[in-house]
Amino acid sequence: MLQFDRVSLDSDTETLRAQVREFLEDNESHFTTPNSDFGTGHDPEFSRKLGERGWIGMTWPKRYGGGERTFFERYVVTEETLAAGAPVSAHWIADRQSGPLLLRFGTEAQRETYLPQITAGEAYFSIGMSEPDTGSDLASVRTTAIKEGDQYRINGTKIWTTDAHRNHFIICLVRTDPSATRHDGLSQIIVDLKNDGVDVRPIANMAGGEDFNEVVFDDVMVPADRIVGEPGNGWTQVTSELAYERSGPERFLSAFRVFVELVRACGPDPAAHEAAAIGRIAAHLMTMRRMSISVAGMLQGGKDVAVEAALVKELGNNFEKVLPEIARLAAPESAIKGRFRETFEETMLLSPSFTLRGGTREILRGVIARGLGLR
Amino acid sequence: MSEAQETRQIILDTAERMFGDLCDKQLLDAAEQGEFAAPLWEQIAANGFHHLGAAASGTSAADLYAFLMTCGRHAVPLPLAETLLVNNWREPDNGLYSIGIVDGDEVVDVPWGRRAEAVIAVNPATGAVCAIDTPEVVRQSVNMAGEPRDVVRLTSDAVPLEVADDPFAQLALTRANLMAGGVQALLELGITFASEREQFGRQISKFQAIQHSLAIIASEAAAARRAADAAVDALGDERFVVEVAASKARIGEAVTVAAEQVHQIHGAMGFTHEHRLHHFSRRTWAWRDEFGNEFFWQQRLGAHLANLGADKVWSFMATRG
Ligand SMILES: Cc1cc2nc3c(=O)[nH]c(=O)nc-3n(C[C@H](O)[C@H](O)[C@H](O)COP(=O)(O)OP(=O)(O)OC[C@H]3O[C@@H](n4cnc5c(N)ncnc54)[C@H](O)[C@@H]3O)c2cc1C
C-alpha cells in the first residue's frame, strides 16, 4: 500500500527558512504581480540572485557548483519562493529536472559544462517532450536525430515548450534509431536555443500570456556529444525525469495567492461560511504539504518515488482547481473589486493547465492504479 | 527501527491478527443487534490494549491512536476509543468506559453507555470534564451505523477531572483516526471486489474508469492517514486544536469521496445487507459527524487563520511538518 511516512523538516532548516524570507522581503521589487504559479514570472536577474545565494542546484555535488545540501533544504527554498509569489520560472526547470537528469545520466563533460551555469542562475532549460501528434503518449515522438559523422541532424517539431523563447537550452526526446519501435531507439539531446538555428514561435495562451512555444527543427545540426548519457536510453531517462517533475510544492501551491487574498478580504472576524472556506482550504493544503515533504524524505533516502509523486500531483492539481472555486463563492462582496478579484482572475485563467502540464490527471491516475497492482 | 517503533509494530501486528480472526461479518451483525462482543473485549484486555497510552503501560499516545486506526480498518464494534481515553485521563483500570457530550442535564451520544461502568461527560463549551461513576441510561439510541449511542443522566455528584490537551479535540482525533482506518478498508474492499467481479469477459479492475476510481480512493486514503498522523504528532503542542481541526475536516472529506466511489464500484452487491461494505461506509459516514463535522472544524481553523491575518497564513502553514 502507498504510504507517506511521518517526515518533518528538521530544525536545521529553520535558519535557512529565515534567510530565504529575509531575502524575499529584500527583493520584493521583483514581484510585479505576486503569483505562486511556478510557470509565470521569468526574471533572470532574480534567478541570478538566488544562484548567488547558493539556492539553485542545492543538493548537487560541490564540484559542479552545487551545495550538497539535503532535499529538505531544497524543499524549504522552493516552497518559500512559491508561497511568496516570487518569479522563479527562469531557473525552475533546470533546477528541478534538467540538472538532476544530467547529474544522473549525463556525461562528465556535460556536467562540467552545464551544471555550474545552472547553479549560478545563468543557464535556463526547456523540456522538449510534447509534439503536435504526441501528448500523453510520449513514446510516439517522431522528431528524429540522425547521426552523421560527429554530428546529429535533427528534424521535427516540439510544441507547448514553456519558455523556449526565453531559455538557453532545450533537452529533446528524439528518435535516434527510426527503425526501432516505440520505447527503443529514443534518446535525449541538448540543443542550444540561441545558437543552433532552431526556429522558436511563441503561442499565445488563453490567459493572455506568451509562455509556451512551437519549436521547429529543420536540419538542425548539433555536435554528437550533446546526446545525454547513452544513445537509446531515452525512455528510461525521461521517465525518471518525470518523477522529479511531479511531487514538489509547485503541484499544490499554484493557487496559493488566491487563498491569501481570500483571508485578507474576509478580515479578522469572518462570517461562519467565510471561516469554513478558509479552514477547508487550509486543511487540504496542510495535508498535501506534509505528503509532499514525505516524498522529499523518500528522495533523500534514495527511494523510487514515481507512484507517490504521481499521487501528490493528482491530489494537488485537482485541489489547485478547487481552491479558486471555494474562494470565489466565499469571498465577501467587497472583494469584487481589488486584489482578491485580480488574483482570482489571473489564477482562474491559468487553472485549466494545472491538470495537464507534467502529465494529465488521467495519466497520473493510471500511474497510481499501476502502483495498486491493477494494471 | 527504534524501540518505540518496534513496540508499535508489535501492537499493530497483534491487533491485526486478533481482529482478522474475531472481527468478522457475523460479529459485526450481532453487535448491530445489540449484542456486546464480550470475547473480543476480553482478548483486547488480555493483551493490555485497553491501557495503551497510559503512563504505566510503556506505550505512548501515538500508539493509542495508531491502534485506533487499526480498529477503524476492522470496524471493531466496541467503545475502545472512549475506554482508552478514560484510561488516559485518569488512573487506568479494567472496566469498560465511555464518554459523552453534556446537553443540559443529560450526557448524549455515549457509545455503549448501556455497558459502561463509568461515563465521562465533556462540556465542549467550557472544556469541563467530569466522571459519572454509576451511570444511569435514560434512553438507548444508535448512530446511522447501528453503533450504540446512548443518553445518560448527568448527576450532581459527578467528579470533576483535569485533562491536559483539549478533551473535545482528543475525541475528534479518535474519530479522525478511526475514519483514516475506515477509508483504508474502503480502498481494500474496492480493490478486492474489482479484482473478483467479471463483466464483459474480464475483471472490472481492467476497465480504466474503475482504475481511476480506485486511484481516487487511494489518494484520499493516503491523505487521510497523513492528516491523522499529523494531528497525533501535535499532542501536547499549542497547535493541537487547530491541527485536529485540519485533520478532522480533511478526513471527513476523504470519507465522502471514498465511500461514494467504492459503492459505485461494488454495484448492487454493495447495496445489500449481506455484503460487509456497509459496515465500513455507514461507520465512516457516521464518524464524520461525531465530535464536530467538517464545517465545525473548518470554521475553527478558518477563524484562527483569519485572526492571524493574510500575511501570517503562510508562516502558519509552514510551521510543523
Ligand atoms: C501550460 C503548459 C505548459 C507545458 N509545457 C510543456 C513543456 O515545456 N514541454 C513539453 O514537452 N510539454 C509541455 N506541455 C505539454 C503537456 O505535457 C501536455 O499537455 C500533456 O502531456 C498532455 O498532452 P496533450 O495536451 O497533447 O493532451 P492529449 O494527450 O492529447 O490528451 C487529451 C485528453 O485525453 C486524455 N487522454 C490521453 N491519453 C489517455 C489515456 N490513455 N487514457 C485516458 N485519457 C487519456 C488526456 O488525459 C486529456 O484529458 C505543457 C502543457 C501546458 C498546458
Side-chain angles (χ1 to χ4, degrees):
Chain A
M1 280 298 143
L2 294 166
Q3 188 158 332
F4 291 79
D5 289 333
R6 302 168 124 110
V7 173
S8 49
L9 302 173
D10 41 41
S11 43
D12 303 358
T13 59
E14 288 315 306
T15 328
L16 173 64
R17 190 185 296 283
Q19 289 167 349
V20 177
R21 285 190 186 166
E22 198 189 318
F23 168 84
L24 291 171
E25 254 172 49
D26 292 345
N27 285 281
E28 250 172 21
S29 59
H30 286 277
F31 310 6
T32 35
T33 38
N35 185 329
S36 44
D37 187 316
F38 71 93
T40 61
H42 195 283
D43 183 342
E45 199 189 322
F46 183 77
S47 293
R48 273 193 295 272
K49 283 186 178 173
L50 271 184
E52 264 166 42
R53 299 297 300 255
W55 293 339
I56 301 177
M58 290 176 75
T59 61
W60 309 347
K62 287 194 172 139
R63 66 178 183 284
Y64 305 123
E68 299 185 3
R69 302 181 78 163
T70 65
F71 281 88
F72 300 122
E73 291 175 296
R74 175 172 186 273
Y75 194 92
V76 167
V77 173
T78 53
E79 72 170 359
E80 286 293 329
T81 48
L82 287 173
V88 292
S89 72
H91 65 273
W92 196 264
I93 302 298
D95 176 56
R96 177 182 72 189
Q97 69 194 84
S98 317
L101 176 79
L102 294 176
L103 202 55
R104 176 144 177 224
F105 296 107
T107 63
E108 188 54 33
Q110 287 166 352
R111 290 185 204 135
E112 283 171 2
T113 309
Y114 300 107
L115 298 183
Q117 297 181 55
I118 294 176
T119 56
E122 281 170 357
Y124 314 137
F125 279 68
S126 286
I127 305 166
M129 296 188 193
S130 306
E131 295 182 6
D133 292 321
T134 293
S136 299
D137 183 12
L138 190 53
S140 70
V141 289
R142 289 190 196 151
T143 299
T144 54
I146 307 299
K147 190 143 191 228
E148 291 179 10
D150 56 2
Q151 289 193 305
Y152 277 91
R153 179 187 296 276
I154 309 178
N155 277 295
T157 302
K158 292 291 173 184
I159 200 166
W160 319 129
T161 321
T162 301
D163 290 333
H165 56 326
R166 301 177 177 127
N167 292 348
H168 306 101
F169 303 100
I170 178 170
I171 299 184
C172 291
L173 183 66
V174 293
R175 221 160 259 296
T176 40
D177 179 1
S179 65
T181 48
R182 296 278 295 176
H183 304 99
D184 301 324
L186 292 174
S187 303
Q188 288 184 296
I189 193 162
I190 305 166
V191 179
D192 185 326
L193 285 162
K194 307 279 188 220
N195 301 307
D196 286 342
V198 182
D199 188 8
V200 178
R201 303 168 190 165
I203 303 171
N205 68 33
M206 64 176 267
E210 281 195 355
D211 296 325
F212 56 21
N213 299 269
E214 184 182 37
V215 182
V216 180
F217 300 84
D218 185 7
D219 286 328
V220 169
M221 303 299 293
V222 302
D225 63 8
R226 297 272 196 81
I227 290 281
V228 178
E230 293 294 312
N233 197 35
W235 186 252
T236 309
Q237 294 176 190
V238 89
T239 43
S240 93
E241 184 181 339
L242 285 171
Y244 283 105
E245 192 173 343
R246 286 177 178 163
S247 70
E250 71 269 32
R251 296 309 181 186
F252 58 89
L253 286 179
S254 305
F256 183 71
R257 299 302 306 181
V258 178
F259 178 44
V260 172
E261 294 312 324
L262 174 70
V263 176
R264 201 184 315 283
C266 292
D269 193 17
H273 73 279
E274 294 170 347
I278 293 169
R280 183 176 176 202
I281 294 169
H284 278 268
L285 293 177
M286 287 161 77
T287 303
M288 281 181 300
R289 175 170 179 271
R290 286 171 172 139
M291 296 174 86
S292 182
I293 292 171
S294 298
V295 177
M298 294 178 213
L299 285 171
Q300 185 66 24
K303 290 191 192 138
D304 175 14
V305 299
V307 180
E308 288 81 0
L311 194 152
V312 172
K313 183 176 183 304
E314 149 77 357
L315 277 175
N317 289 165
N318 288 324
F319 192 72
E320 286 178 333
K321 283 178 145 178
V322 173
L323 191 164
E325 300 290 351
I326 299 172
R328 175 177 71 93
L329 296 177
E333 222 166 309
S334 59
I336 290 175
K337 292 194 183 78
R339 242 161 117 173
F340 173 81
R341 186 91 213 157
E342 210 178 295
T343 312
F344 165 78
E345 285 183 351
E346 188 181 5
T347 304
M348 194 67 210
L349 291 173
L350 293 171
S351 69
S353 71
F354 298 165
T355 48
L356 295 172
R357 58 183 183 187
T360 69
R361 170 204 291 159
E362 289 69 27
I363 294 305
L364 296 174
R365 287 182 181 163
V367 173
I368 299 166
R370 189 172 297 117
L372 294 173
L374 301 172
R375 24 188 316 219
Chain B
M1 246 199 274
S2 71
E3 204 176 312
Q5 282 171 317
E6 260 174 51
T7 308
R8 168 113 26 107
Q9 204 51 53
I10 293 167
I11 294 166
L12 298 183
D13 290 347
T14 312
E16 192 64 46
R17 265 197 311 278
M18 187 195 318
F19 298 149
D21 290 346
L22 296 176
C23 200
D24 56 10
K25 177 75 168 52
Q26 208 185 337
L27 183 95
L28 291 174
D29 286 340
E32 212 170 315
Q33 295 308 309
E35 204 174 299
F36 180 73
L40 181 58
W41 166 243
E42 280 154 24
Q43 279 274 323
I44 288 165
N47 277 285
F49 289 160
H50 59 322
H51 287 181
L52 287 175
S57 72
T59 58
S60 66
D63 296 328
L64 182 168
Y65 287 103
F67 174 73
L68 287 182
M69 202 183 284
T70 305
C71 293
R73 200 159 84 76
H74 291 273
V76 177
L78 290 167
L80 293 179
E82 295 73 26
T83 297
L84 278 161
L85 284 190
V86 172
N87 280 332
N88 275 256
W89 290 353
R90 56 180 208 180
E91 202 57 39
D93 207 336
N94 293 319
L96 187 85
Y97 305 120
S98 195
I99 305 176
I101 297 299
V102 172
D103 182 11
D105 58 358
E106 291 180 340
V107 187
V108 299
D109 293 332
V110 183
W112 289 93
R114 62 196 78 165
R115 300 288 303 206
E117 290 162 45
V119 166
I120 300 234
V122 172
N123 186 333
T126 61
V129 180
C130 59
I132 303 162
D133 278 315
T134 43
E136 179 204 335
V137 174
V138 184
R139 281 187 304 284
Q140 293 198 354
S141 173
V142 292
N143 69 10
M144 76 189 293
E147 295 182 301
R149 296 291 186 260
D150 300 329
V151 178
V152 167
R153 192 174 311 287
L154 182 60
T155 45
S156 53
D157 60 351
V159 187
L161 215 69
E162 282 296 320
V163 177
D165 286 302
D166 184 304
F168 189 70
Q170 287 189 58
L171 287 161
L173 184 56
T174 66
R175 294 307 184 264
N177 279 273
L178 289 169
M179 285 193 287
V183 173
Q184 183 68 34
L186 294 177
L187 171 64
E188 288 161 15
L189 286 164
I191 292 173
T192 305
F193 185 85
S195 311
E196 285 167 6
R197 174 70 174 166
E198 289 189 13
Q199 282 295 287
F200 299 97
R202 48 187 178 144
Q203 297 164 291
I204 60 165
S205 66
K206 297 299 163 203
F207 296 115
Q208 193 186 47
I210 301 287
Q211 292 178 353
H212 285 197
S213 179
L214 287 165
I216 291 168
I217 301 170
S219 303
E220 293 300 320
R225 170 144 190 205
R226 191 68 195 85
D229 286 348
V232 170
D233 291 343
L235 272 159
D237 191 281
E238 58 178 14
R239 279 170 60 120
F240 177 62
V241 175
V242 282
E243 290 288 351
V244 169
S247 174
K248 181 98 180 3
R250 177 64 187 88
I251 300 172
E253 287 197 56
V255 165
T256 306
V257 173
E260 196 277 332
Q261 297 277 349
V262 79
H263 268 287
Q264 186 67 14
I265 290 171
H266 277 78
M269 183 55 79
F271 189 58
T272 62
H273 179 77
E274 188 190 336
H275 196 280
R276 65 200 180 105
L277 175 61
H278 66 84
H279 281 295
F280 297 89
S281 55
R282 286 186 301 137
R283 273 185 178 74
T284 49
W285 280 333
W287 294 336
R288 287 183 305 188
D289 291 327
E290 294 184 349
F291 310 118
N293 66 14
E294 294 91 300
F295 191 76
F296 173 90
W297 288 111
Q298 287 163 356
Q299 275 186 76
R300 287 285 290 266
L301 178 57
H304 181 80
L305 282 167
N307 193 259
L308 287 174
D311 296 320
K312 291 273 164 50
V313 164
W314 173 250
S315 77
F316 172 84
M317 305 243 331
T319 309
R320 286 196 70 86

